[in-house]
Amino acid sequence: MQQAIQHEVNRFSQKLGGPAHPKSKISLSLPAALQDKAACPGLQISRANPQQAPWGRVSYSLNCRQPSWQSRATAQVQVWLPIVVTSRALQRDEVLNAGMLKLELTELRQSRLDPELQLEPLVGMRTKRRLSAGQPVSRHLLEAQLLVRKGEQVIIQVKTADFAASTTGVALEDGVLQQRIKVRNSSSGAELEAEVVAANTVQTLFRKD
């Protein structure tokens, strides 16, 4: 059971973008009647909700086919992962930069279902409400910050393997960081897709036919 639970913890950690072998502690609680069961080389271990993160107090079903017996067990699973927290108190409507965030080794709780383990995807997002210093950051506390607004003038950066140039254009859609939107080149009138890279700035790759 220790090995099976540890394997599941490792898998969930990697799924979240964390380390392959996170810091963890597993405390098993086995029924006394289990010691009377015959040894089972092919023991099957399962839980009711395998999609839920395997930390906190977790119940397991034990099923042996040969010899035939069933039992239950519980485990108190503690897991610590480096998650994103605020490096200072943040006010509502602040736009996040890397200096406002840090990674801190934190014990996970079942109520914290979607911890953030990477700083970069959060940079440029806006806070929905005040956050205290050291508070774990999750997506429901943030919203995407519009860097380009429909109808506003934008700088269109054009890059190839040999040169880089820029021109002006008009945004035909709102856009957040790394989103591809339609813009119109002011000089040629041509419409094209470009990626939002900064405030009022988009970038497109020029491809030769």
Side-chain angles (χ1 to χ4, degrees), residues 153-159 164-171 182-188 190-195 197 200-205:
Q153 181 172 296
V154 294
I155 297 173
I156 304 173
Q157 298 178 341
V158 183
K159 291 189 176 182
S166 63
T167 185
T168 58
V170 176
K182 292 181 179 180
V183 297
R184 178 182 293 113
N185 187 311
S186 297
S187 299
S188 66
E191 292 186 11
L192 62 149
E193 274 198 350
E195 180 181 341
V197 294
N200 297 319
T201 306
V202 299
Q203 180 176 292
T204 184
L205 296 177

Coordinates of all heavy atoms in Angstrom, one line a residue, residues 153-159 164-171 182-188 190-195 197 200-205:
Q153 N -4.8 51.4 -31.7 CA -3.6 51.2 -32.5 C -2.6 50.3 -31.8 O -2.4 50.3 -30.6 CB -2.9 52.6 -32.8 CG -1.7 52.5 -33.6 CD -1.1 53.9 -34.0 OE1 -1.8 54.6 -34.7 NE2 0.1 54.2 -33.5
V154 N -1.9 49.4 -32.6 CA -0.9 48.5 -32.1 C 0.3 48.6 -33.0 O 0.3 49.0 -34.1 CB -1.5 47.1 -32.1 CG1 -2.6 46.9 -31.1 CG2 -1.8 46.6 -33.5
I155 N 1.4 48.2 -32.4 CA 2.7 48.0 -33.1 C 2.7 46.5 -33.5 O 2.6 45.6 -32.7 CB 3.9 48.3 -32.2 CG1 3.9 49.8 -31.8 CG2 5.2 48.0 -32.9 CD1 4.9 50.2 -30.8
I156 N 2.9 46.3 -34.8 CA 3.0 45.0 -35.4 C 4.5 44.7 -35.6 O 5.1 45.3 -36.5 CB 2.2 44.8 -36.7 CG1 0.8 45.2 -36.5 CG2 2.3 43.4 -37.2 CD1 0.0 45.3 -37.8
Q157 N 5.0 43.8 -34.9 CA 6.4 43.4 -35.0 C 6.5 42.2 -36.0 O 5.7 41.2 -35.9 CB 7.1 43.0 -33.7 CG 7.1 44.1 -32.7 CD 7.7 43.6 -31.4 OE1 7.7 42.4 -31.1 NE2 8.2 44.6 -30.6
V158 N 7.3 42.3 -37.0 CA 7.5 41.2 -38.0 C 8.9 40.7 -37.9 O 9.9 41.4 -37.9 CB 7.2 41.7 -39.4 CG1 7.3 40.6 -40.4 CG2 5.9 42.5 -39.5
K159 N 9.0 39.3 -37.8 CA 10.3 38.7 -37.6 C 10.5 37.6 -38.7 O 9.6 36.9 -39.0 CB 10.5 38.2 -36.2 CG 10.6 39.2 -35.1 CD 11.0 38.6 -33.8 CE 11.3 39.7 -32.8 NZ 11.7 39.1 -31.5
A164 N 14.3 41.8 -38.6 CA 13.1 42.2 -37.8 C 12.7 43.6 -38.1 O 13.5 44.5 -38.4 CB 13.4 42.1 -36.3
A165 N 11.4 43.8 -38.2 CA 10.9 45.1 -38.6 C 9.5 45.4 -37.8 O 9.0 44.4 -37.2 CB 10.6 45.3 -40.1
S166 N 9.0 46.6 -37.9 CA 7.8 46.8 -37.2 C 7.0 47.9 -38.0 O 7.6 48.7 -38.7 CB 8.0 47.3 -35.8 OG 8.7 48.6 -35.8
T167 N 5.7 47.8 -37.8 CA 4.8 48.8 -38.5 C 3.6 49.0 -37.6 O 3.5 48.4 -36.5 CB 4.3 48.3 -39.9 OG1 3.6 49.3 -40.5 CG2 3.5 47.0 -39.7
T168 N 2.7 49.9 -38.0 CA 1.6 50.1 -37.1 C 0.3 49.4 -37.7 O 0.2 49.2 -38.9 CB 1.3 51.6 -37.0 OG1 1.1 52.2 -38.3 CG2 2.5 52.3 -36.3
G169 N -0.6 49.2 -36.8 CA -1.9 48.6 -37.3 C -3.0 48.9 -36.3 O -2.8 49.6 -35.3
V170 N -4.1 48.3 -36.5 CA -5.3 48.5 -35.7 C -5.8 47.1 -35.2 O -5.9 46.2 -36.1 CB -6.4 49.2 -36.4 CG1 -7.7 49.3 -35.5 CG2 -6.0 50.6 -36.8
A171 N -6.0 46.9 -33.9 CA -6.5 45.6 -33.4 C -8.0 45.5 -33.8 O -8.8 46.4 -33.6 CB -6.4 45.6 -31.9
K182 N -6.7 39.0 -34.6 CA -6.7 39.6 -35.9 C -6.3 41.1 -35.8 O -6.9 41.8 -34.9 CB -8.0 39.4 -36.6 CG -8.3 38.0 -37.0 CD -9.6 37.9 -37.7 CE -9.9 36.4 -38.0 NZ -11.2 36.2 -38.8
V183 N -5.5 41.6 -36.6 CA -5.1 43.0 -36.7 C -5.1 43.4 -38.2 O -5.0 42.6 -39.1 CB -3.7 43.3 -36.1 CG1 -3.7 42.9 -34.6 CG2 -2.6 42.5 -36.8
R184 N -5.2 44.7 -38.4 CA -5.1 45.3 -39.8 C -3.9 46.1 -39.9 O -3.7 47.0 -39.1 CB -6.4 46.1 -40.1 CG -6.3 46.7 -41.6 CD -7.6 47.5 -41.9 NE -8.8 46.7 -42.0 CZ -9.8 46.7 -41.1 NH1 -9.7 47.6 -40.1 NH2 -10.8 46.0 -41.3
N185 N -3.1 45.8 -40.9 CA -1.9 46.7 -41.2 C -2.4 48.0 -41.7 O -3.1 48.1 -42.7 CB -1.1 45.9 -42.2 CG 0.3 46.6 -42.5 OD1 0.3 47.8 -42.7 ND2 1.3 45.8 -42.5
S186 N -2.0 49.1 -41.1 CA -2.4 50.4 -41.5 C -1.9 50.8 -42.8 O -2.5 51.6 -43.6 CB -2.0 51.5 -40.4 OG -2.6 51.2 -39.2
S187 N -0.7 50.3 -43.2 CA -0.1 50.7 -44.5 C -0.7 50.0 -45.7 O -1.1 50.6 -46.7 CB 1.4 50.5 -44.5 OG 2.0 51.2 -43.4
S188 N -0.9 48.7 -45.5 CA -1.4 47.9 -46.6 C -2.9 47.6 -46.6 O -3.5 47.2 -47.6 CB -0.6 46.6 -46.7 OG -0.9 45.8 -45.5
A190 N -4.0 45.1 -45.1 CA -4.2 43.7 -45.0 C -4.5 43.2 -43.6 O -4.0 43.8 -42.6 CB -2.9 43.0 -45.5
E191 N -5.4 42.2 -43.5 CA -5.7 41.6 -42.2 C -4.8 40.4 -42.0 O -4.5 39.6 -42.9 CB -7.1 41.2 -42.1 CG -8.1 42.4 -42.1 CD -9.6 41.9 -41.9 OE1 -9.8 40.7 -41.5 OE2 -10.5 42.7 -42.1
L192 N -4.3 40.3 -40.7 CA -3.5 39.1 -40.4 C -3.6 38.7 -39.0 O -4.2 39.5 -38.2 CB -2.0 39.5 -40.7 CG -1.4 40.6 -39.9 CD1 0.1 40.4 -39.6 CD2 -1.6 41.9 -40.6
E193 N -3.2 37.5 -38.6 CA -3.2 37.1 -37.2 C -1.8 37.3 -36.6 O -0.8 37.1 -37.3 CB -3.5 35.6 -37.2 CG -5.0 35.3 -37.1 CD -5.3 33.9 -36.6 OE1 -4.3 33.1 -36.5 OE2 -6.4 33.6 -36.4
A194 N -1.8 37.8 -35.4 CA -0.6 38.0 -34.7 C -0.7 37.7 -33.2 O -1.9 37.7 -32.7 CB -0.1 39.5 -34.8
E195 N 0.4 37.4 -32.5 CA 0.3 37.1 -31.1 C 0.6 38.3 -30.2 O 1.5 39.1 -30.5 CB 1.4 36.0 -30.8 CG 1.4 35.6 -29.4 CD 2.5 34.5 -29.1 OE1 3.0 33.9 -30.1 OE2 2.9 34.4 -27.9
V197 N 2.2 40.2 -27.5 CA 3.5 40.0 -26.7 C 3.7 41.0 -25.6 O 4.5 40.8 -24.7 CB 4.7 40.0 -27.7 CG1 4.6 38.7 -28.6 CG2 4.8 41.2 -28.5
N200 N -0.3 46.8 -26.3 CA -0.4 47.4 -27.6 C 0.7 46.9 -28.6 O 1.0 47.7 -29.5 CB -0.4 48.9 -27.5 CG -1.6 49.4 -26.7 OD1 -2.7 48.9 -26.8 ND2 -1.4 50.4 -25.8
T201 N 1.1 45.7 -28.4 CA 2.2 45.2 -29.3 C 1.9 43.7 -29.6 O 1.6 42.9 -28.8 CB 3.6 45.2 -28.6 OG1 3.8 46.5 -28.1 CG2 4.7 44.8 -29.5
V202 N 1.9 43.4 -30.9 CA 1.7 42.1 -31.4 C 2.9 41.7 -32.3 O 3.6 42.5 -32.8 CB 0.4 41.9 -32.2 CG1 -0.8 42.3 -31.3 CG2 0.4 42.8 -33.4
Q203 N 3.0 40.4 -32.5 CA 4.1 39.9 -33.2 C 3.7 38.8 -34.2 O 2.9 37.9 -33.8 CB 5.2 39.3 -32.3 CG 6.4 38.7 -33.0 CD 7.5 38.2 -32.0 OE1 8.1 39.1 -31.3 NE2 7.7 37.0 -32.0
T204 N 4.2 38.8 -35.4 CA 3.8 37.8 -36.4 C 5.1 37.4 -37.1 O 6.1 38.1 -37.2 CB 2.8 38.4 -37.4 OG1 2.5 37.3 -38.3 CG2 3.4 39.5 -38.2
L205 N 5.1 36.1 -37.5 CA 6.2 35.6 -38.3 C 6.0 35.7 -39.8 O 4.9 35.2 -40.2 CB 6.5 34.1 -37.9 CG 6.9 33.9 -36.4 CD1 7.0 32.4 -36.2 CD2 8.2 34.6 -36.1

